[in-house]
């Protein structure tokens, strides 16, 4: 049993899936100009695991490490090292790579008993899902959010829900968002990570379904890759636009063996929060975030050197702050591993520490915009005075002019324009704006995970310490000061 190659992965995407963009159905995402380069980038990840010097880090016994249930601190470290290889391949800009949902599936498998507490027992389907994804090295994405306006109305039929039972399965209808990387996946995990009202039983369902299932459509947002002029002009958005899509199900049939939770509000919520699934999400995402901060800080260093300002005190202080933020991002990953917790009394192995993992989400959402602002100040006006295209540098009349006026003593015009194009794609483009919003909401709405932080984190010990002080004196204690 071995992982599949990048070519195997790309071939799997030619399955007649219902992808829609700009009012037209996309016949083949591996060939369409809005998706093909990102699909190739994802295929490269599979090649790194399949046959490269990184294969021993990315896999064990022929299976990607993200699918394996960690049994020790050392296993957590090994899994993070695998996450890091793939994160660096996309410079931190591919968030929902296959290892993301793979880690969540491993979380389900670590504590399947959580799915056996209601009227419907989803533990066997959860274990089967994990085994199928791991053995076939499948790419699973997920959609876990209800459309915002419809979510508040218990009778609104736009929210994905169960509409019928049939022999062998259920029928679902409605919409889910946000399907990041869904157009590139083999399967979709559809569920709800937010609390549902007790009466919303028809919405309380979690299942897995192949992307090419009849009746399933993915409505893509605007493609930044499709709008990119070239790799030189848009080096990130042209190759690493993992896309986001709205999932619409029109009477989609889901067999029972793919149904994890069914008409049970509590279990549908507990699936993510009472198994290690969410903690595993954060472990993968935090490793990617650390990598992304390294990359952005590297851009800042190159900009300062290109501008000849890297030795100015104000600039060195700014670089120092950015390096401090890199260390902060790294520290959360290492601390979550070091504070690992046993799952199900040790029967489900171990998971990253809950308190640090939740805190990482708070930190990342606040830190990322600060880092962008710092780097934009270092870049200065050069970011907005750039040739419309790198082709201008090759023009017989424009090229000499651009080289005369845009170069510096330490950075020829061609190199400087290339760097500034990269910086703009990361900092100021529409692609960059999406990533800033993405980092704020990477693991869902803050009101959900902050609630978990408040009532399942260190709140008890914090309160206990404050109470110890209060209990140590009263109105009769000691003289007044």
């Amino acid at each position: 049993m071995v992982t599949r190659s990048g070519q195997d992965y790309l071939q799997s995407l030619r399955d007649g899936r219902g992808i829609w963009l700009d009012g037209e159905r996309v016949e083949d995402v591996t060939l369409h100009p809005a998706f093909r380069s990102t699909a190739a980038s994802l295929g490269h990840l599979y090649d790194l695991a399949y046959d490269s010097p990184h294969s021993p880090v990315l896999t064990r016994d022929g299976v990607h490490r993200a699918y394996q249930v960690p049994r020790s601190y050392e296993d957590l470290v090994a899994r993070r090292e695998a996450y890091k290889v793939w994160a660096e391949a996309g410079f931190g800009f591919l968030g929902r790579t296959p290892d993301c949902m793979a880690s969540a599936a491993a979380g389900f498998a670590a504590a399947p008993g959580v799915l056996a507490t209601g009227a419907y027992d989803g533990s066997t389907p959860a274990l089967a899902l994990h085994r199928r994804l791991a053995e076939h090295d499948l790419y699973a994405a997920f959609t876990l959010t209800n459309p915002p306006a419809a979510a508040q109305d218990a009778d609104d039929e736009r929210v994905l829900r169960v509409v019928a039972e049939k022999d062998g399965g259920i029928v679902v209808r409605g919409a889910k968002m946000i399907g990041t990387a869904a157009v590139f996946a083999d399967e979709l995990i559809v569920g709800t990570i937010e609390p549902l009202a007790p009466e919303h039983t028809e919405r309380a369902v979690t299942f897995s379904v192949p992307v090419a299932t009849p009746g399933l459509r993915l409505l893509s947002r605007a493609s930044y890759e499709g709008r990119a002029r070239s790799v030189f002009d848009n080096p990130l958005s042209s190759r690493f636009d993992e896309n986001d899509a709205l999932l619409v199900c029109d009477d989609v049939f889901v067999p029972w063996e793919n149904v994890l939770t069914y008409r049970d509000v509590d279990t549908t919520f507990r699936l993510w929060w009472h198994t290690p699934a969410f903690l595993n999400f954060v472990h993968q995402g935090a490793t990617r975030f650390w990598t992304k901060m390294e990359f952005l800080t590297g851009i800042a260093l190159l900009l300062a050197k290109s501008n000849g300002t890297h030795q100015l005190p104000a600039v060195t202080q700014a670089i120092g702050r950015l390096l401090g933020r890199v260390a902060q991002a790294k520290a959360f990953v290492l601390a979550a591993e070091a504070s690992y917790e046993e799952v199900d009394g040790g029967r489900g192995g171990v998971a990253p520490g809950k308190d640090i993992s939740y805190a990482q989400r708070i930190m990342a959402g606040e830190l990322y915009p600060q880092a962008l602002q710092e780097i934009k100040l270092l870049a200065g006006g050069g970011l907005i005075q750039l040739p419309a295209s790198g082709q201008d540098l090759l023009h017989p009349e424009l090229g000499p002019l651009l080289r005369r006026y845009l170069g510096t003593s330490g950075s020829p015009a061609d190199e400087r324009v290339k760097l500034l194009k990269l910086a703009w794609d990361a900092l100021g483009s529409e692609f960059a704006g999406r990533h800033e919003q993405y980092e704020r909401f990477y693991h869902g709405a803050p009101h959900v995970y902050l609630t978990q932080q408040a009532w399942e984190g260190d709140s008890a010990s914090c309160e206990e310490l404050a109470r110890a002080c209060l209990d140590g004196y009263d109105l009769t204690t000691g003289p007044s000061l």
Side-chain angles (χ1 to χ4, degrees):
M1 181 170 56
V2 295
T3 58
R4 58 180 175 171
S5 69
Q7 188 57 46
D8 293 334
Y9 160 70
L10 293 174
Q11 182 60 40
S12 75
L13 299 181
R14 303 183 181 107
D15 55 7
R17 56 189 56 207
I19 312 298
W20 291 79
L21 172 69
D22 292 334
E24 296 181 354
R25 181 165 179 169
V26 176
E27 295 299 326
D28 187 341
V29 297
T30 69
L31 299 177
H32 195 283
F35 304 105
R36 62 191 178 195
S37 293
T38 301
S41 295
L42 291 165
H44 174 62
L45 301 184
Y46 278 99
D47 281 334
L48 289 176
Y50 181 71
D51 184 19
S52 84
H54 298 289
S55 299
V57 176
L58 287 164
T59 65
R60 187 177 71 182
D61 299 327
V63 176
H64 194 287
R65 288 186 183 272
Y67 282 116
Q68 294 167 345
V69 176
R71 299 290 172 182
S72 65
Y73 166 75
E74 289 75 17
D75 285 349
L76 286 174
V77 171
R79 189 169 67 175
R80 179 248 300 162
E81 290 173 344
Y83 292 154
K84 196 74 166 63
V85 171
W86 273 8
E88 290 180 355
F91 307 102
F93 283 88
L94 289 173
R96 305 295 190 198
T97 43
D99 52 352
C100 183
M101 189 59 222
S103 68
F108 302 157
V114 171
L115 287 83
T117 56
Y120 176 80
D121 185 350
S123 58
T124 298
L127 291 170
L129 170 69
H130 174 247
R131 184 169 55 252
R132 180 176 72 255
L133 295 179
E135 290 181 353
H136 297 284
D137 202 15
L138 298 180
Y139 186 173
F142 51 91
T143 56
L144 305 177
T145 305
N146 292 320
Q152 306 305 319
D153 184 354
D155 299 321
D156 198 314
E157 296 185 351
R158 292 175 293 176
V159 178
L160 188 139
R161 66 205 183 283
V162 179
V163 296
E165 287 188 20
K166 291 185 175 182
D167 290 342
I170 61 175
V171 178
V172 296
R173 183 188 305 158
K176 282 281 185 178
M177 50 185 293
I178 301 169
T180 301
V183 299
F184 301 109
D186 296 297
E187 294 195 18
L188 292 180
I189 311 302
V190 183
T192 302
I193 202 167
E194 301 173 355
L196 291 170
E199 64 271 20
H200 287 174
T201 54
E202 77 285 354
R203 301 180 183 181
V205 60
T206 309
F207 58 88
S208 176
V209 63
V211 174
T213 298
L216 187 155
R217 286 178 288 178
L218 290 169
L219 281 56
S220 170
R221 61 151 165 82
S223 169
Y224 308 132
E225 177 183 331
R227 296 176 177 181
R229 305 190 69 166
S230 68
V231 174
F232 185 92
D233 292 304
N234 310 96
L236 299 174
S237 54
S238 65
R239 298 178 293 165
F240 307 116
D241 180 18
E242 61 189 349
N243 204 275
D244 309 283
L246 175 70
L247 168 69
V248 177
C249 292
D250 184 11
D251 291 353
V252 170
F253 176 74
V254 183
W256 285 118
E257 55 264 30
N258 287 3
V259 179
L260 278 63
T261 71
Y262 183 63
R263 293 188 181 274
D264 188 322
V265 169
D266 290 337
T267 304
T268 298
F269 181 73
R270 286 163 54 87
L271 170 67
W272 303 101
W273 300 101
H274 289 228
T275 72
F278 185 81
L279 298 176
N280 289 351
F281 271 160
V282 176
H283 193 205
Q284 184 268 350
T287 304
R288 179 201 56 80
F289 183 78
W290 162 25
T291 305
K292 196 173 189 179
M293 290 304 303
E294 288 179 320
F295 174 76
L296 291 173
T297 300
I299 288 179
L301 286 162
L302 293 174
L303 286 170
K305 291 179 179 179
S306 175
N307 291 337
T309 60
H310 57 288
Q311 293 182 330
L312 295 177
V315 174
T316 59
Q317 290 176 34
I319 296 296
R321 284 191 293 270
L322 287 167
L323 289 169
R325 292 185 173 107
V326 172
Q328 188 177 355
K330 177 181 178 180
F332 272 88
V333 176
L334 302 188
E337 294 167 359
S339 62
Y340 69 89
E341 303 171 7
E342 290 187 341
V343 177
D344 191 20
R347 290 181 290 274
V350 299
K354 185 179 298 182
D355 296 326
I356 302 298
S357 296
Y358 290 165
Q360 192 276 341
R361 294 309 314 131
I362 302 169
M363 177 276 299
E366 295 174 351
L367 187 151
Y368 193 76
Q370 297 170 8
L372 293 184
Q373 179 66 12
E374 194 92 65
I375 302 170
K376 287 178 181 178
L377 291 174
L378 288 174
L383 283 179
I384 56 177
Q385 185 60 70
L386 285 170
S389 168
Q391 291 298 311
D392 290 350
L393 291 164
L394 302 177
H395 191 277
E397 293 184 37
L398 298 179
L401 290 174
L402 292 172
R403 290 186 176 88
R404 178 179 181 183
Y405 292 111
L406 294 185
T408 65
S409 59
S411 181
D414 292 42
E415 293 181 10
R416 182 167 170 76
V417 170
K418 184 179 180 181
L419 172 59
L420 289 171
K421 289 277 190 180
L422 172 62
W424 179 252
D425 214 16
L427 303 172
S429 65
E430 188 175 358
F431 172 83
R434 180 262 182 191
H435 271 270
E436 180 174 353
Q437 192 73 356
Y438 182 68
E439 296 300 348
R440 293 176 187 267
F441 293 93
Y442 181 71
H443 282 122
H447 72 267
V448 177
Y449 61 75
L450 287 179
T451 300
Q452 299 300 306
Q453 177 82 29
W455 303 123
E456 296 194 22
D458 270 340
S459 59
S461 60
C462 296
E463 185 175 345
E464 181 181 354
L465 185 60
R467 176 59 61 187
C469 179
L470 285 171
D471 290 344
Y473 62 91
D474 57 27
L475 287 170
T476 66
T477 303
S480 298
L481 298 179

